[in-house]
Amino acid sequence: MGKPYSMDLRERVVASVEREGLSRRQAAVRFEVGISTVIRWVSRLRETSSLAPGKMGGHRPKKISGEHRLWLLQRIKDDDFTLRGLVAELAKRGLKVDYRPVWEFVHAEKLSFKKKRGGWRTRSSRHRAAAGAVDKVPRSYRA
């Protein structure tokens, strides 16, 4: 994001329009700024009697904070979870958030949301016993 133009430039441009009688287009060409910029500066001076630039950027506070943050930390420690499930649970508690803030919260807290590694299908085949031939399997287990 760019920086606002200097107050000196703003004052000279608006003075050329107001005092010298230049059109906004002529002032824009003379000072090498955009026509819409000159239009906004002149209208801003007339409305607010100030040429100071407005606030730029800023910080937006996180939605998941305070009571919801504590609840979410406890909820994650208690049981398995999915991010979409946490979004739904937070909605039930009165906090409407999207998937992204929940992901950012889990990521910022360095909490893992991967599946547990206890399942036999997660291991590679070399750690399992080799499957036997079909004729060695008892008939009661065959489909």
mmCIF file of all heavy atoms in Angstrom, residues 86-130:
data_model
loop_
_atom_site.group_PDB
_atom_site.id
_atom_site.type_symbol
_atom_site.label_atom_id
_atom_site.label_comp_id
_atom_site.label_asym_id
_atom_site.label_seq_id
_atom_site.Cartn_x
_atom_site.Cartn_y
_atom_site.Cartn_z
ATOM 1 N N LEU A 86 -15.551 -27.583 14.358
ATOM 2 C CA LEU A 86 -15.345 -26.495 15.311
ATOM 3 C C LEU A 86 -16.112 -25.239 14.900
ATOM 4 O O LEU A 86 -16.643 -24.528 15.753
ATOM 5 C CB LEU A 86 -13.854 -26.175 15.438
ATOM 6 C CG LEU A 86 -12.991 -27.249 16.108
ATOM 7 C CD1 LEU A 86 -11.532 -26.832 16.093
ATOM 8 C CD2 LEU A 86 -13.456 -27.528 17.520
ATOM 9 N N VAL A 87 -16.186 -24.987 13.600
ATOM 10 C CA VAL A 87 -16.959 -23.840 13.115
ATOM 11 C C VAL A 87 -18.418 -23.999 13.522
ATOM 12 O O VAL A 87 -19.051 -23.060 14.014
ATOM 13 C CB VAL A 87 -16.824 -23.698 11.574
ATOM 14 C CG1 VAL A 87 -17.820 -22.697 11.030
ATOM 15 C CG2 VAL A 87 -15.415 -23.299 11.197
ATOM 16 N N ALA A 88 -18.951 -25.215 13.338
ATOM 17 C CA ALA A 88 -20.354 -25.476 13.699
ATOM 18 C C ALA A 88 -20.562 -25.354 15.207
ATOM 19 O O ALA A 88 -21.571 -24.787 15.657
ATOM 20 C CB ALA A 88 -20.757 -26.868 13.213
ATOM 21 N N GLU A 89 -19.631 -25.864 16.001
ATOM 22 C CA GLU A 89 -19.765 -25.785 17.458
ATOM 23 C C GLU A 89 -19.684 -24.343 17.942
ATOM 24 O O GLU A 89 -20.410 -23.950 18.864
ATOM 25 C CB GLU A 89 -18.693 -26.639 18.134
ATOM 26 C CG GLU A 89 -18.922 -28.130 17.971
ATOM 27 C CD GLU A 89 -17.841 -28.958 18.648
ATOM 28 O OE1 GLU A 89 -17.441 -28.590 19.765
ATOM 29 O OE2 GLU A 89 -17.423 -29.956 18.045
ATOM 30 N N LEU A 90 -18.823 -23.554 17.334
ATOM 31 C CA LEU A 90 -18.739 -22.138 17.707
ATOM 32 C C LEU A 90 -20.021 -21.396 17.336
ATOM 33 O O LEU A 90 -20.464 -20.507 18.057
ATOM 34 C CB LEU A 90 -17.531 -21.479 17.049
ATOM 35 C CG LEU A 90 -16.174 -21.830 17.656
ATOM 36 C CD1 LEU A 90 -15.044 -21.365 16.754
ATOM 37 C CD2 LEU A 90 -16.032 -21.228 19.034
ATOM 38 N N ALA A 91 -20.630 -21.784 16.218
ATOM 39 C CA ALA A 91 -21.890 -21.159 15.820
ATOM 40 C C ALA A 91 -22.982 -21.467 16.844
ATOM 41 O O ALA A 91 -23.804 -20.602 17.167
ATOM 42 C CB ALA A 91 -22.298 -21.640 14.428
ATOM 43 N N LYS A 92 -22.993 -22.690 17.356
ATOM 44 C CA LYS A 92 -23.967 -23.051 18.384
ATOM 45 C C LYS A 92 -23.749 -22.242 19.663
ATOM 46 O O LYS A 92 -24.689 -21.972 20.396
ATOM 47 C CB LYS A 92 -23.879 -24.542 18.710
ATOM 48 C CG LYS A 92 -24.430 -25.424 17.627
ATOM 49 C CD LYS A 92 -24.283 -26.883 18.003
ATOM 50 C CE LYS A 92 -24.699 -27.769 16.853
ATOM 51 N NZ LYS A 92 -24.414 -29.187 17.123
ATOM 52 N N ARG A 93 -22.498 -21.857 19.914
ATOM 53 C CA ARG A 93 -22.186 -21.068 21.109
ATOM 54 C C ARG A 93 -22.388 -19.568 20.874
ATOM 55 O O ARG A 93 -22.131 -18.762 21.752
ATOM 56 C CB ARG A 93 -20.746 -21.322 21.536
ATOM 57 C CG ARG A 93 -20.515 -22.721 22.058
ATOM 58 C CD ARG A 93 -19.095 -22.926 22.513
ATOM 59 N NE ARG A 93 -18.604 -21.927 23.439
ATOM 60 C CZ ARG A 93 -18.776 -21.952 24.753
ATOM 61 N NH1 ARG A 93 -19.468 -22.929 25.294
ATOM 62 N NH2 ARG A 93 -18.260 -21.005 25.518
ATOM 63 N N GLY A 94 -22.813 -19.189 19.680
ATOM 64 C CA GLY A 94 -23.124 -17.786 19.408
ATOM 65 C C GLY A 94 -22.030 -17.006 18.710
ATOM 66 O O GLY A 94 -22.158 -15.800 18.538
ATOM 67 N N LEU A 95 -20.956 -17.650 18.301
ATOM 68 C CA LEU A 95 -19.875 -16.957 17.594
ATOM 69 C C LEU A 95 -19.868 -17.428 16.150
ATOM 70 O O LEU A 95 -19.520 -18.574 15.856
ATOM 71 C CB LEU A 95 -18.515 -17.238 18.241
ATOM 72 C CG LEU A 95 -17.322 -16.571 17.569
ATOM 73 C CD1 LEU A 95 -17.417 -15.059 17.711
ATOM 74 C CD2 LEU A 95 -16.026 -17.060 18.155
ATOM 75 N N LYS A 96 -20.252 -16.543 15.245
ATOM 76 C CA LYS A 96 -20.291 -16.907 13.836
ATOM 77 C C LYS A 96 -18.944 -16.590 13.203
ATOM 78 O O LYS A 96 -18.562 -15.425 13.080
ATOM 79 C CB LYS A 96 -21.397 -16.143 13.126
ATOM 80 C CG LYS A 96 -21.559 -16.575 11.698
ATOM 81 C CD LYS A 96 -22.734 -15.936 11.046
ATOM 82 C CE LYS A 96 -22.787 -16.452 9.618
ATOM 83 N NZ LYS A 96 -23.894 -15.962 8.884
ATOM 84 N N VAL A 97 -18.210 -17.614 12.864
ATOM 85 C CA VAL A 97 -16.909 -17.462 12.202
ATOM 86 C C VAL A 97 -16.863 -18.379 11.001
ATOM 87 O O VAL A 97 -17.625 -19.331 10.892
ATOM 88 C CB VAL A 97 -15.724 -17.789 13.139
ATOM 89 C CG1 VAL A 97 -15.590 -16.771 14.226
ATOM 90 C CG2 VAL A 97 -15.843 -19.166 13.709
ATOM 91 N N ASP A 98 -15.951 -18.103 10.124
ATOM 92 C CA ASP A 98 -15.741 -18.911 8.942
ATOM 93 C C ASP A 98 -14.641 -19.932 9.224
ATOM 94 O O ASP A 98 -14.028 -19.940 10.288
ATOM 95 C CB ASP A 98 -15.352 -17.993 7.779
ATOM 96 C CG ASP A 98 -15.485 -18.674 6.427
ATOM 97 O OD1 ASP A 98 -16.218 -19.666 6.344
ATOM 98 O OD2 ASP A 98 -14.861 -18.202 5.459
ATOM 99 N N TYR A 99 -14.370 -20.757 8.240
ATOM 100 C CA TYR A 99 -13.341 -21.793 8.341
ATOM 101 C C TYR A 99 -11.964 -21.186 8.569
ATOM 102 O O TYR A 99 -11.182 -21.675 9.375
ATOM 103 C CB TYR A 99 -13.368 -22.606 7.038
ATOM 104 C CG TYR A 99 -12.292 -23.644 6.913
ATOM 105 C CD1 TYR A 99 -12.460 -24.912 7.447
ATOM 106 C CD2 TYR A 99 -11.113 -23.364 6.244
ATOM 107 C CE1 TYR A 99 -11.476 -25.865 7.320
ATOM 108 C CE2 TYR A 99 -10.124 -24.309 6.114
ATOM 109 C CZ TYR A 99 -10.316 -25.557 6.652
ATOM 110 O OH TYR A 99 -9.342 -26.506 6.528
ATOM 111 N N ARG A 100 -11.657 -20.106 7.857
ATOM 112 C CA ARG A 100 -10.313 -19.529 7.880
ATOM 113 C C ARG A 100 -9.877 -19.042 9.269
ATOM 114 O O ARG A 100 -8.758 -19.341 9.684
ATOM 115 C CB ARG A 100 -10.239 -18.392 6.855
ATOM 116 C CG ARG A 100 -8.891 -17.740 6.744
ATOM 117 C CD ARG A 100 -7.895 -18.675 6.131
ATOM 118 N NE ARG A 100 -6.575 -18.083 6.164
ATOM 119 C CZ ARG A 100 -5.595 -18.453 5.395
ATOM 120 N NH1 ARG A 100 -5.761 -19.416 4.534
ATOM 121 N NH2 ARG A 100 -4.422 -17.896 5.501
ATOM 122 N N PRO A 101 -10.698 -18.293 10.021
ATOM 123 C CA PRO A 101 -10.252 -17.878 11.360
ATOM 124 C C PRO A 101 -9.988 -19.054 12.297
ATOM 125 O O PRO A 101 -9.081 -18.999 13.128
ATOM 126 C CB PRO A 101 -11.395 -17.011 11.886
ATOM 127 C CG PRO A 101 -12.143 -16.591 10.694
ATOM 128 C CD PRO A 101 -11.952 -17.638 9.663
ATOM 129 N N VAL A 102 -10.760 -20.118 12.149
ATOM 130 C CA VAL A 102 -10.545 -21.302 12.994
ATOM 131 C C VAL A 102 -9.220 -21.943 12.621
ATOM 132 O O VAL A 102 -8.431 -22.334 13.483
ATOM 133 C CB VAL A 102 -11.715 -22.304 12.870
ATOM 134 C CG1 VAL A 102 -11.429 -23.573 13.642
ATOM 135 C CG2 VAL A 102 -13.001 -21.659 13.356
ATOM 136 N N TRP A 103 -8.940 -22.050 11.324
ATOM 137 C CA TRP A 103 -7.664 -22.619 10.888
ATOM 138 C C TRP A 103 -6.515 -21.766 11.405
ATOM 139 O O TRP A 103 -5.518 -22.299 11.898
ATOM 140 C CB TRP A 103 -7.610 -22.705 9.360
ATOM 141 C CG TRP A 103 -6.345 -23.333 8.887
ATOM 142 C CD1 TRP A 103 -6.107 -24.648 8.678
ATOM 143 C CD2 TRP A 103 -5.103 -22.660 8.604
ATOM 144 N NE1 TRP A 103 -4.811 -24.845 8.281
ATOM 145 C CE2 TRP A 103 -4.167 -23.640 8.223
ATOM 146 C CE3 TRP A 103 -4.694 -21.345 8.639
ATOM 147 C CZ2 TRP A 103 -2.868 -23.332 7.874
ATOM 148 C CZ3 TRP A 103 -3.381 -21.036 8.294
ATOM 149 C CH2 TRP A 103 -2.494 -22.036 7.909
ATOM 150 N N GLU A 104 -6.627 -20.442 11.291
ATOM 151 C CA GLU A 104 -5.561 -19.561 11.761
ATOM 152 C C GLU A 104 -5.353 -19.689 13.268
ATOM 153 O O GLU A 104 -4.227 -19.646 13.755
ATOM 154 C CB GLU A 104 -5.882 -18.113 11.402
ATOM 155 C CG GLU A 104 -5.722 -17.837 9.918
ATOM 156 C CD GLU A 104 -6.183 -16.450 9.514
ATOM 157 O OE1 GLU A 104 -6.770 -15.734 10.353
ATOM 158 O OE2 GLU A 104 -5.961 -16.093 8.350
ATOM 159 N N PHE A 105 -6.451 -19.863 14.018
ATOM 160 C CA PHE A 105 -6.340 -20.039 15.462
ATOM 161 C C PHE A 105 -5.587 -21.322 15.793
ATOM 162 O O PHE A 105 -4.652 -21.321 16.592
ATOM 163 C CB PHE A 105 -7.746 -20.083 16.089
ATOM 164 C CG PHE A 105 -7.726 -20.414 17.541
ATOM 165 C CD1 PHE A 105 -7.462 -19.433 18.484
ATOM 166 C CD2 PHE A 105 -7.969 -21.709 17.989
ATOM 167 C CE1 PHE A 105 -7.437 -19.733 19.833
ATOM 168 C CE2 PHE A 105 -7.947 -22.012 19.335
ATOM 169 C CZ PHE A 105 -7.673 -21.021 20.254
ATOM 170 N N VAL A 106 -5.984 -22.423 15.169
ATOM 171 C CA VAL A 106 -5.335 -23.717 15.422
ATOM 172 C C VAL A 106 -3.871 -23.652 15.016
ATOM 173 O O VAL A 106 -2.995 -24.143 15.723
ATOM 174 C CB VAL A 106 -6.080 -24.848 14.679
ATOM 175 C CG1 VAL A 106 -5.312 -26.150 14.727
ATOM 176 C CG2 VAL A 106 -7.467 -25.038 15.271
ATOM 177 N N HIS A 107 -3.579 -23.006 13.900
ATOM 178 C CA HIS A 107 -2.207 -22.890 13.419
ATOM 179 C C HIS A 107 -1.378 -22.009 14.363
ATOM 180 O O HIS A 107 -0.231 -22.333 14.676
ATOM 181 C CB HIS A 107 -2.210 -22.315 12.004
ATOM 182 C CG HIS A 107 -0.864 -22.230 11.378
ATOM 183 N ND1 HIS A 107 -0.183 -23.343 10.941
ATOM 184 C CD2 HIS A 107 -0.063 -21.175 11.123
ATOM 185 C CE1 HIS A 107 0.990 -22.969 10.447
ATOM 186 N NE2 HIS A 107 1.078 -21.656 10.547
ATOM 187 N N ALA A 108 -1.951 -20.884 14.815
ATOM 188 C CA ALA A 108 -1.229 -19.967 15.702
ATOM 189 C C ALA A 108 -0.935 -20.604 17.056
ATOM 190 O O ALA A 108 0.104 -20.349 17.659
ATOM 191 C CB ALA A 108 -2.032 -18.684 15.895
ATOM 192 N N GLU A 109 -1.847 -21.443 17.532
ATOM 193 C CA GLU A 109 -1.655 -22.117 18.813
ATOM 194 C C GLU A 109 -0.778 -23.360 18.685
ATOM 195 O O GLU A 109 -0.529 -24.053 19.658
ATOM 196 C CB GLU A 109 -3.011 -22.509 19.406
ATOM 197 C CG GLU A 109 -3.884 -21.330 19.775
ATOM 198 C CD GLU A 109 -3.376 -20.568 20.976
ATOM 199 O OE1 GLU A 109 -2.682 -21.177 21.817
ATOM 200 O OE2 GLU A 109 -3.666 -19.360 21.071
ATOM 201 N N LYS A 110 -0.337 -23.654 17.461
ATOM 202 C CA LYS A 110 0.515 -24.822 17.162
ATOM 203 C C LYS A 110 -0.141 -26.124 17.638
ATOM 204 O O LYS A 110 0.493 -26.982 18.233
ATOM 205 C CB LYS A 110 1.896 -24.655 17.766
ATOM 206 C CG LYS A 110 2.644 -23.470 17.192
ATOM 207 C CD LYS A 110 4.070 -23.459 17.616
ATOM 208 C CE LYS A 110 4.890 -22.333 17.120
ATOM 209 N NZ LYS A 110 4.386 -21.319 16.292
ATOM 210 N N LEU A 111 -1.435 -26.231 17.349
ATOM 211 C CA LEU A 111 -2.187 -27.430 17.692
ATOM 212 C C LEU A 111 -2.303 -28.292 16.445
ATOM 213 O O LEU A 111 -2.521 -27.792 15.353
ATOM 214 C CB LEU A 111 -3.583 -27.056 18.193
ATOM 215 C CG LEU A 111 -3.586 -26.145 19.414
ATOM 216 C CD1 LEU A 111 -4.971 -25.617 19.662
ATOM 217 C CD2 LEU A 111 -3.081 -26.894 20.620
ATOM 218 N N SER A 112 -2.171 -29.588 16.624
ATOM 219 C CA SER A 112 -2.255 -30.492 15.495
ATOM 220 C C SER A 112 -3.696 -30.913 15.301
ATOM 221 O O SER A 112 -4.416 -31.173 16.260
ATOM 222 C CB SER A 112 -1.390 -31.734 15.744
ATOM 223 O OG SER A 112 -1.595 -32.664 14.709
ATOM 224 N N PHE A 113 -4.107 -30.971 14.068
ATOM 225 C CA PHE A 113 -5.447 -31.466 13.791
ATOM 226 C C PHE A 113 -5.394 -32.644 12.828
ATOM 227 O O PHE A 113 -6.312 -32.922 12.113
ATOM 228 C CB PHE A 113 -6.351 -30.355 13.257
ATOM 229 C CG PHE A 113 -5.788 -29.616 12.077
ATOM 230 C CD1 PHE A 113 -6.077 -29.999 10.791
ATOM 231 C CD2 PHE A 113 -4.988 -28.516 12.281
ATOM 232 C CE1 PHE A 113 -5.566 -29.304 9.717
ATOM 233 C CE2 PHE A 113 -4.473 -27.815 11.205
ATOM 234 C CZ PHE A 113 -4.764 -28.207 9.923
ATOM 235 N N LYS A 114 -4.271 -33.346 12.843
ATOM 236 C CA LYS A 114 -4.121 -34.523 11.995
ATOM 237 C C LYS A 114 -4.718 -35.731 12.683
ATOM 238 O O LYS A 114 -4.885 -35.763 13.892
ATOM 239 C CB LYS A 114 -2.647 -34.765 11.696
ATOM 240 C CG LYS A 114 -2.035 -33.643 10.910
ATOM 241 C CD LYS A 114 -0.617 -33.975 10.553
ATOM 242 C CE LYS A 114 0.028 -32.753 9.972
ATOM 243 N NZ LYS A 114 0.250 -32.727 8.630
ATOM 244 N N LYS A 115 -5.020 -36.729 11.894
ATOM 245 C CA LYS A 115 -5.582 -37.951 12.449
ATOM 246 C C LYS A 115 -4.555 -38.646 13.329
ATOM 247 O O LYS A 115 -3.354 -38.536 13.114
ATOM 248 C CB LYS A 115 -5.991 -38.893 11.324
ATOM 249 C CG LYS A 115 -7.114 -38.353 10.485
ATOM 250 C CD LYS A 115 -7.441 -39.326 9.384
ATOM 251 C CE LYS A 115 -8.550 -38.772 8.524
ATOM 252 N NZ LYS A 115 -8.853 -39.624 7.388
ATOM 253 N N LYS A 116 -5.044 -39.366 14.316
ATOM 254 C CA LYS A 116 -4.130 -40.105 15.179
ATOM 255 C C LYS A 116 -3.518 -41.263 14.407
ATOM 256 O O LYS A 116 -4.147 -41.854 13.533
ATOM 257 C CB LYS A 116 -4.877 -40.614 16.410
ATOM 258 C CG LYS A 116 -5.291 -39.481 17.308
ATOM 259 C CD LYS A 116 -5.851 -39.989 18.592
ATOM 260 C CE LYS A 116 -6.167 -38.820 19.499
ATOM 261 N NZ LYS A 116 -6.733 -39.251 20.749
ATOM 262 N N ARG A 117 -2.323 -41.632 14.764
ATOM 263 C CA ARG A 117 -1.591 -42.642 14.001
ATOM 264 C C ARG A 117 -1.816 -44.046 14.528
ATOM 265 O O ARG A 117 -0.985 -44.912 14.364
ATOM 266 C CB ARG A 117 -0.104 -42.313 14.045
ATOM 267 C CG ARG A 117 0.193 -40.956 13.435
ATOM 268 C CD ARG A 117 1.625 -40.764 13.306
ATOM 269 N NE ARG A 117 2.163 -41.951 12.614
ATOM 270 C CZ ARG A 117 3.382 -42.078 12.174
ATOM 271 N NH1 ARG A 117 4.213 -41.106 12.348
ATOM 272 N NH2 ARG A 117 3.792 -43.155 11.582
ATOM 273 N N GLY A 118 -2.911 -44.305 15.175
ATOM 274 C CA GLY A 118 -3.113 -45.609 15.774
ATOM 275 C C GLY A 118 -3.698 -46.650 14.837
ATOM 276 O O GLY A 118 -3.623 -47.839 15.094
ATOM 277 N N GLY A 119 -4.289 -46.229 13.747
ATOM 278 C CA GLY A 119 -4.983 -47.165 12.865
ATOM 279 C C GLY A 119 -4.037 -48.084 12.120
ATOM 280 O O GLY A 119 -2.944 -47.691 11.736
ATOM 281 N N TRP A 120 -4.461 -49.311 11.878
ATOM 282 C CA TRP A 120 -3.569 -50.255 11.189
ATOM 283 C C TRP A 120 -3.405 -49.888 9.730
ATOM 284 O O TRP A 120 -2.423 -50.248 9.108
ATOM 285 C CB TRP A 120 -4.086 -51.693 11.334
ATOM 286 C CG TRP A 120 -5.407 -51.938 10.657
ATOM 287 C CD1 TRP A 120 -6.628 -51.744 11.181
ATOM 288 C CD2 TRP A 120 -5.597 -52.400 9.326
ATOM 289 N NE1 TRP A 120 -7.590 -52.041 10.275
ATOM 290 C CE2 TRP A 120 -6.982 -52.475 9.113
ATOM 291 C CE3 TRP A 120 -4.753 -52.762 8.288
ATOM 292 C CZ2 TRP A 120 -7.541 -52.882 7.913
ATOM 293 C CZ3 TRP A 120 -5.305 -53.184 7.098
ATOM 294 C CH2 TRP A 120 -6.684 -53.241 6.923
ATOM 295 N N ARG A 121 -4.312 -49.174 9.150
ATOM 296 C CA ARG A 121 -4.184 -48.824 7.735
ATOM 297 C C ARG A 121 -3.191 -47.693 7.510
ATOM 298 O O ARG A 121 -2.777 -47.451 6.394
ATOM 299 C CB ARG A 121 -5.539 -48.416 7.184
ATOM 300 C CG ARG A 121 -6.484 -49.569 7.135
ATOM 301 C CD ARG A 121 -7.785 -49.200 6.545
ATOM 302 N NE ARG A 121 -8.678 -50.343 6.621
ATOM 303 C CZ ARG A 121 -9.875 -50.373 6.149
ATOM 304 N NH1 ARG A 121 -10.360 -49.321 5.564
ATOM 305 N NH2 ARG A 121 -10.615 -51.438 6.248
ATOM 306 N N THR A 122 -2.820 -46.996 8.558
ATOM 307 C CA THR A 122 -1.885 -45.891 8.372
ATOM 308 C C THR A 122 -0.436 -46.381 8.273
ATOM 309 O O THR A 122 0.412 -45.660 7.812
ATOM 310 C CB THR A 122 -1.983 -44.894 9.534
ATOM 311 O OG1 THR A 122 -1.678 -45.563 10.749
ATOM 312 C CG2 THR A 122 -3.349 -44.274 9.599
ATOM 313 N N ARG A 123 -0.189 -47.594 8.742
ATOM 314 C CA ARG A 123 1.185 -48.106 8.686
ATOM 315 C C ARG A 123 1.495 -48.675 7.311
ATOM 316 O O ARG A 123 0.606 -49.107 6.583
ATOM 317 C CB ARG A 123 1.366 -49.206 9.734
ATOM 318 C CG ARG A 123 1.395 -48.635 11.135
ATOM 319 C CD ARG A 123 1.582 -49.716 12.136
ATOM 320 N NE ARG A 123 0.235 -50.169 12.478
ATOM 321 C CZ ARG A 123 -0.038 -51.301 13.058
ATOM 322 N NH1 ARG A 123 0.909 -52.146 13.348
ATOM 323 N NH2 ARG A 123 -1.265 -51.625 13.344
ATOM 324 N N SER A 124 2.747 -48.714 6.976
ATOM 325 C CA SER A 124 3.122 -49.291 5.696
ATOM 326 C C SER A 124 2.978 -50.803 5.755
ATOM 327 O O SER A 124 2.971 -51.418 6.821
ATOM 328 C CB SER A 124 4.559 -48.911 5.339
ATOM 329 O OG SER A 124 5.443 -49.473 6.285
ATOM 330 N N SER A 125 2.878 -51.412 4.606
ATOM 331 C CA SER A 125 2.619 -52.847 4.531
ATOM 332 C C SER A 125 3.779 -53.680 5.071
ATOM 333 O O SER A 125 3.577 -54.822 5.471
ATOM 334 C CB SER A 125 2.326 -53.252 3.094
ATOM 335 O OG SER A 125 3.437 -52.944 2.282
ATOM 336 N N ARG A 126 4.967 -53.169 5.132
ATOM 337 C CA ARG A 126 6.106 -53.973 5.596
ATOM 338 C C ARG A 126 6.039 -54.231 7.103
ATOM 339 O O ARG A 126 6.717 -55.086 7.617
ATOM 340 C CB ARG A 126 7.423 -53.323 5.225
ATOM 341 C CG ARG A 126 7.655 -52.015 5.896
ATOM 342 C CD ARG A 126 8.936 -51.420 5.451
ATOM 343 N NE ARG A 126 9.025 -50.081 6.028
ATOM 344 C CZ ARG A 126 10.096 -49.381 6.052
ATOM 345 N NH1 ARG A 126 11.189 -49.865 5.522
ATOM 346 N NH2 ARG A 126 10.101 -48.187 6.574
ATOM 347 N N HIS A 127 5.238 -53.446 7.826
ATOM 348 C CA HIS A 127 5.098 -53.665 9.264
ATOM 349 C C HIS A 127 3.955 -54.616 9.612
ATOM 350 O O HIS A 127 3.763 -54.959 10.754
ATOM 351 C CB HIS A 127 4.870 -52.327 9.983
ATOM 352 C CG HIS A 127 6.066 -51.427 9.903
ATOM 353 N ND1 HIS A 127 7.270 -51.730 10.484
ATOM 354 C CD2 HIS A 127 6.253 -50.235 9.280
ATOM 355 C CE1 HIS A 127 8.130 -50.770 10.245
ATOM 356 N NE2 HIS A 127 7.540 -49.845 9.503
ATOM 357 N N ARG A 128 3.175 -54.995 8.624
ATOM 358 C CA ARG A 128 2.058 -55.909 8.866
ATOM 359 C C ARG A 128 2.452 -57.310 8.433
ATOM 360 O O ARG A 128 3.323 -57.502 7.588
ATOM 361 C CB ARG A 128 0.838 -55.496 8.036
ATOM 362 C CG ARG A 128 0.101 -54.319 8.579
ATOM 363 C CD ARG A 128 -1.238 -54.201 7.896
ATOM 364 N NE ARG A 128 -1.112 -54.081 6.451
ATOM 365 C CZ ARG A 128 -1.416 -52.996 5.753
ATOM 366 N NH1 ARG A 128 -1.835 -51.944 6.373
ATOM 367 N NH2 ARG A 128 -1.280 -52.988 4.461
ATOM 368 N N ALA A 129 1.778 -58.238 8.989
ATOM 369 C CA ALA A 129 1.988 -59.615 8.532
ATOM 370 C C ALA A 129 1.420 -59.748 7.122
ATOM 371 O O ALA A 129 0.405 -59.135 6.793
ATOM 372 C CB ALA A 129 1.282 -60.591 9.460
ATOM 373 N N ALA A 130 2.083 -60.535 6.309
ATOM 374 C CA ALA A 130 1.623 -60.716 4.937
ATOM 375 C C ALA A 130 0.278 -61.424 4.943
ATOM 376 O O ALA A 130 0.000 -62.291 5.770
ATOM 377 C CB ALA A 130 2.640 -61.535 4.152
#
